[in-house]
Amino acid sequence: MPIMGKHTLLLSILLAAPLGYAQSDPPIGHPQPPDTSLTHIQADLGRDSTIIPLKITYGKKSAEWTAPKLAPLPHETLQATDGHSQETYSGVPLMALLVELGVPQKLKGKDLRLYLIAEGRDGNKVVYSLGEVSPDLHDGSVLLADSVDGKPLSDDGPIELICSGERHPVRWVRGVTSIRVQAAD
């Protein structure tokens, strides 16, 4: 039988004794993972502060919109195929927000010279005539979508400008940051 020293005997006793630690305490020799909740909160705050709100301008009037600000407004849904799969988008009709800034709801005469330029955070710009946006003149829907298949948009920005009735979604604007209504001369 080997001879045990004081330290070896003490270590043997400690290892053989039942451990009386609390359920939340880690066992001796097993460090608890670091608490990263603050790091996640800081990351969320950083991400949210870098999201640029959508600014819609008509003449001297403008309004800023974020996904949380759009959420309580009446939404419509739109079924669309992105080339690979069928998706269901939900969003606020763009015309409803334009009317709040003074754009005529029923377009006629000179109103038909109005058009809009929508720009995404990636610099992509597209043009729509107001006749294409107005449900009175166009069968398609133009929405500021804030969710797809019941989940909030997030990868390319919280708001996407989408339009039904087109063969390809080439005029959709992901991460839309600006919509300016102007008149053609």
Side-chain angles (χ1 to χ4, degrees):
M1 178 174 211
I3 300 175
M4 290 195 220
K6 275 196 237 179
H7 297 295
T8 308
L9 179 61
L10 182 59
L11 183 58
S12 298
I13 292 171
L14 284 176
L15 290 176
L19 296 176
Y21 57 85
Q23 199 67 314
S24 63
D25 293 340
I28 297 173
H30 296 281
Q32 190 169 6
D35 180 8
T36 59
S37 58
L38 182 58
T39 306
H40 289 290
I41 291 169
Q42 290 169 331
D44 290 344
L45 288 173
R47 181 202 64 232
D48 292 346
S49 68
T50 61
I51 293 175
I52 301 168
L54 164 61
K55 184 174 184 177
I56 302 176
T57 306
Y58 174 59
K60 293 182 180 182
K61 293 183 179 179
S62 66
E64 289 191 351
W65 297 92
T66 60
K69 203 171 170 184
L70 290 176
L73 299 178
H75 278 53
E76 292 180 8
T77 58
L78 186 141
Q79 297 279 330
T81 304
D82 68 355
H84 306 297
S85 61
Q86 181 88 5
E87 297 175 315
T88 302
Y89 287 87
S90 177
V92 176
L94 176 57
M95 195 65 183
L97 301 181
L98 296 177
V99 168
E100 287 185 21
L101 293 176
V103 171
Q105 185 153 354
K106 305 273 187 194
L107 301 175
K108 57 185 176 192
K110 291 184 179 184
D111 300 334
L112 295 172
R113 298 181 332 164
L114 296 173
Y115 66 96
L116 63 89
I117 301 169
E119 183 174 356
R121 68 180 187 178
D122 61 358
N124 180 38
K125 293 181 184 178
V126 299
V127 175
Y128 286 89
S129 73
L130 232 54
E132 294 173 293
V133 176
S134 172
D136 290 338
L137 300 177
H138 187 251
D139 287 335
S141 297
V142 180
L143 302 179
L144 290 171
D146 55 4
S147 69
V148 61
D149 295 331
K151 298 175 187 166
L153 294 172
S154 60
D155 292 342
D156 296 314
I159 303 172
E160 185 169 334
L161 178 69
I162 64 172
C163 180
S164 67
E166 296 185 336
R167 291 186 179 162
H168 303 286
V170 295
R171 291 195 304 163
W172 292 17
V173 181
R174 295 183 174 175
V176 63
T177 58
S178 167
I179 296 175
R180 295 182 318 275
V181 178
Q182 301 174 334
D185 294 329

